[in-house]
Amino acid sequence: MCVIDQDFLRQGASTKASSSDSGKWHEWSCSSMKGLRRQMEDAHVALSDIGSAGAEKRALFAVFDGHGGKEVALFCQQHFPEQVKSLLEEGLAP
């Protein structure tokens, strides 16, 4: 008897969600696919400009892996950019 975890499907989904954009200094694109999971559990951030320090131009790109639950990934997606910006403004991040 084969037991399938209820969080997984018998056959994976191969449909990708993709987006792209450009900023002042670069272009980017990202794609995601949920695979065997019933729902997407990952989240991402793609910010082309989070400020500069002198001649340095800064962008933020991050993937937050849900590891069995999307709540933490979504929390990080919502709050991480502001935390990074705050650290940069205070001079506490390179």
Side-chain angles (χ1 to χ4, degrees), residues 2-25:
C2 178
V3 177
I4 304 293
D5 187 326
Q6 64 182 342
D7 289 338
F8 291 91
L9 301 171
R10 291 184 187 274
Q11 183 174 358
S14 59
T15 304
K16 290 182 183 177
S18 298
S19 61
S20 61
D21 203 352
S22 61
K24 296 177 184 178
W25 309 292

Side-chain angles (χ1 to χ4, degrees), residues 18-72:
S18 298
S19 61
S20 61
D21 203 352
S22 61
K24 296 177 184 178
W25 309 292
H26 55 269
E27 296 179 2
W28 59 266
S29 62
C30 62
S31 292
S32 62
M33 182 173 60
K34 69 179 186 68
L36 294 174
R37 295 268 181 201
R38 291 194 182 277
Q39 60 183 344
M40 174 53 78
E41 297 178 349
D42 301 341
H44 72 275
V45 170
L47 298 174
S48 294
D49 181 8
I50 62 167
S52 59
E56 273 188 45
K57 299 164 181 74
R58 295 181 171 151
L60 175 63
F61 298 94
V63 174
F64 307 104
D65 193 328
H67 285 290
K70 64 181 179 180
E71 293 80 12
V72 173

